[in-house]
Amino acid sequence: MNSPAFPTTHQWTWRGHRVRYQTLGDRGSAVILIHGFGASGDHWRHNLAALATQHRVYALDLMGFGFSDKPNPQSFSYTFETWADQVLDFCEAVVQAPVHLIGNSIGCIVALQAAVQDPHRCHSLSLLDCSLRLLHERKRPTLPWYQQISTPIFQRVLGLPPVGQFFFSQVARPGAIANFLRQAYHNSAAVTQDLVEYIYRPALEPGAAAVFLSFIQYSHGPLAEDLLPQVRCPVLILWGAEDPWEPLALGQDLAQFDCVEDFIALPGVGHCPQDEAPDQVNPILLQWLDRQTPQLHNHKHKLTL
């Protein structure tokens, strides 16, 4: 089967705001790709065509990121519950079918939250280096003492508009973004100019700084370990073994939950496996989705009971 060429880009209006999404594929089950913090649907550029050989694939820009609108945080709530609402409403309005959700980093928490809010709409979850939210207020006591003290101070200082704007102006530069990505990726050769541009261009959008600073101060909300016990669909977890931000040893704790069918560590890979090692990730995802397909009818029946 020939792989489709390029995704098409569309806009969808949600709660009066513009949402950008890309889609590719015209057969098979529906798959929604959910990016991580500061990224966009473009972070799945190495996965869309491969998955679209067998599935209808959608890469969504979450509100506040990519080229979706970025309303002021004073009037719009940037929480995992809100983003889950966005994903579920997108399923109903655009996809019009139950879906498989695939997320990276905080996109995994969005996927988990969506599956908990509407279990009948989610056939399966694939979590790639799920955010452990190590700076969450409930996890802060486990941090070294100096981080316990410095983290809330840092967050409060960034809440001051002049300080926050200056901080964002320093990090939202191509050179700083490239350095940041080289920390996240184990293979620095995967940090290309195109990748930097995909992160940099949305940072120039009106409202990007306010959203960025709002999320940095977001230390509450759900954790993966809160949501996984409530998930009623099968879960696959992939983890870059060299992830510097979400340690593999801590990630492996998530494999204990009943809904997790497979936990696969990816050697020599960092925080964003879908972009750094698509040659490893795409076959695994396709095998996982193929394995779930015969179970869809039975699984849906179980959820209904």
Side-chain angles (χ1 to χ4, degrees), residues 33-94:
L33 308 175
I34 308 172
H35 61 80
F37 176 61
S40 70
D42 291 320
H43 214 184
W44 301 96
R45 67 196 190 282
H46 296 319
N47 318 103
L48 276 156
L51 298 179
T53 59
Q54 300 178 31
H55 302 277
R56 295 179 291 121
V57 188
Y58 303 83
L60 192 65
D61 286 7
L62 296 174
M63 285 291 295
F65 298 110
F67 292 99
S68 290
D69 279 350
K70 301 165 182 62
N72 193 300
Q74 294 183 353
S75 60
F76 187 91
S77 179
Y78 291 100
T79 66
F80 291 110
E81 292 83 357
T82 302
W83 286 315
D85 286 343
Q86 178 190 350
V87 170
L88 293 170
D89 289 348
F90 181 80
C91 291
E92 181 174 357
V94 178

Side-chain angles (χ1 to χ4, degrees), residues 264-287:
I264 301 174
L266 303 171
V269 179
H271 183 63
C272 306
Q274 80 280 8
D275 189 63
E276 184 177 353
D279 55 330
Q280 294 186 57
V281 169
N282 290 336
I284 295 172
L285 291 177
L286 284 169
Q287 290 173 19

Side-chain angles (χ1 to χ4, degrees), residues 151-164 217:
T151 297
I153 294 174
F154 178 70
Q155 290 174 318
R156 283 196 296 269
V157 169
L158 287 184
L160 301 172
V163 178
Q217 299 173 69

Side-chain angles (χ1 to χ4, degrees), residues 91-207:
C91 291
E92 181 174 357
V94 178
V95 182
Q96 298 182 344
V99 298
H100 302 275
L101 298 178
I102 301 176
N104 172 229
S105 192
I106 69 162
C108 300
I109 307 295
V110 176
L112 286 165
Q113 183 67 44
V116 168
Q117 288 180 202
D118 192 345
H120 300 284
R121 202 173 291 279
C122 300
H123 282 323
S124 76
L125 302 180
S126 300
L127 312 180
L128 281 61
D129 289 67
C130 181
S131 173
L132 299 171
R133 308 200 63 203
L134 296 176
L135 297 182
H136 192 284
E137 59 189 6
R138 279 189 274 142
K139 293 190 174 182
R140 199 165 288 161
T142 66
L143 297 174
W145 66 268
Y146 54 88
Q147 283 187 280
Q148 293 184 41
I149 296 172
S150 63
T151 297
I153 294 174
F154 178 70
Q155 290 174 318
R156 283 196 296 269
V157 169
L158 287 184
L160 301 172
V163 178
Q165 290 289 340
F166 176 76
F167 177 79
F168 183 77
S169 72
Q170 299 305 299
V171 299
R173 295 180 176 184
I177 292 170
N179 289 335
F180 184 75
L181 290 168
R182 290 189 191 103
Q183 294 176 21
Y185 284 50
H186 182 65
N187 176 16
S188 60
V191 180
T192 63
Q193 186 60 41
D194 284 346
L195 175 61
V196 172
E197 284 294 313
Y198 286 135
I199 306 294
Y200 173 63
R201 286 186 291 111
L204 303 177
E205 292 275 295

